[in-house]
Amino acid sequence: QSRQTGDDAAGDEPPDEIGVLAEFYMEVPVQLEGRCDIHQYNMLMRNEPHTRFIARFFPGAVPEWIIRVFEVIDLNYRLHGSVINVLIHYVLGMNDSQRVTKTYIDAVASNMLMKHVDSFEKAVRYVQEQIKLEADKERRRDNGA
């Protein structure tokens, strides 16, 4: 069977998966531990449509307001799908101490947009930088106390 390429490819045929280098691996969030290993998780984050990826974080239906927030980010900001998935990983998978709000998600997305985060790798680097900044801020706060 020959594979079509480009715009004439069959719509129901999944696109070729893009691999993830180990240096860009993100940890599997607590919510998904035991359901996939680190390689599987990063392949899903890199390749899966954000509408399917986000559903993995919820035991039932994804709350309607969260679906709408990510629809707006997709339509208005035109972030690449894998970048949206890294955003989902960051705001839903990592920030268990932080309240997840529309304002917070939008602030992170617009910050990514302003910093020209337009690829999976840039998105991972962005999240790694944010984690480091948060850790530095916490360390300074602890030292000042």
Side-chain angles (χ1 to χ4, degrees), residues 19-89:
V20 179
L21 297 173
E23 69 187 277
F24 295 104
Y25 274 9
M26 302 298 288
E27 291 295 320
V28 177
V30 175
Q31 302 98 308
L32 302 179
E33 280 178 356
R35 290 179 41 203
C36 54
D37 65 27
I38 192 166
H39 175 72
Q40 291 166 323
Y41 177 73
N42 282 277
M43 287 297 287
L44 289 170
M45 188 166 34
R46 178 72 174 93
N47 293 286
E48 198 168 45
H50 76 272
T51 51
R52 196 169 337 143
F53 185 71
I54 197 169
R56 296 178 181 282
F57 288 86
F58 296 90
V62 178
E64 189 64 36
W65 74 268
I66 290 181
I67 291 170
R68 280 197 305 276
V69 167
F70 285 100
E71 270 177 8
V72 168
I73 288 169
D74 184 30
L75 293 171
N76 294 349
Y77 295 171
R78 302 253 186 256
L79 290 175
H80 190 275
S82 63
V83 172
I84 294 175
N85 285 350
V86 174
L87 171 64
I88 291 166
H89 166 85

Side-chain angles (χ1 to χ4, degrees), residues 81-134:
S82 63
V83 172
I84 294 175
N85 285 350
V86 174
L87 171 64
I88 291 166
H89 166 85
Y90 182 57
V91 298
L92 297 180
M94 292 181 59
N95 287 350
D96 49 3
S97 63
Q98 198 144 23
R99 283 188 52 227
V100 176
T101 64
K102 178 186 180 307
T103 305
Y104 176 71
I105 296 169
D106 190 63
V108 175
S110 56
N111 195 15
M112 290 173 107
L113 190 66
M114 286 175 39
K115 292 184 179 228
H116 305 287
V117 175
D118 57 3
S119 71
F120 177 78
E121 293 77 11
K122 285 182 183 177
V124 169
R125 289 281 186 246
Y126 171 85
V127 168
Q128 290 168 336
E129 284 173 23
Q130 294 306 305
I131 293 166
K132 187 179 178 315
L133 286 172
E134 289 166 16

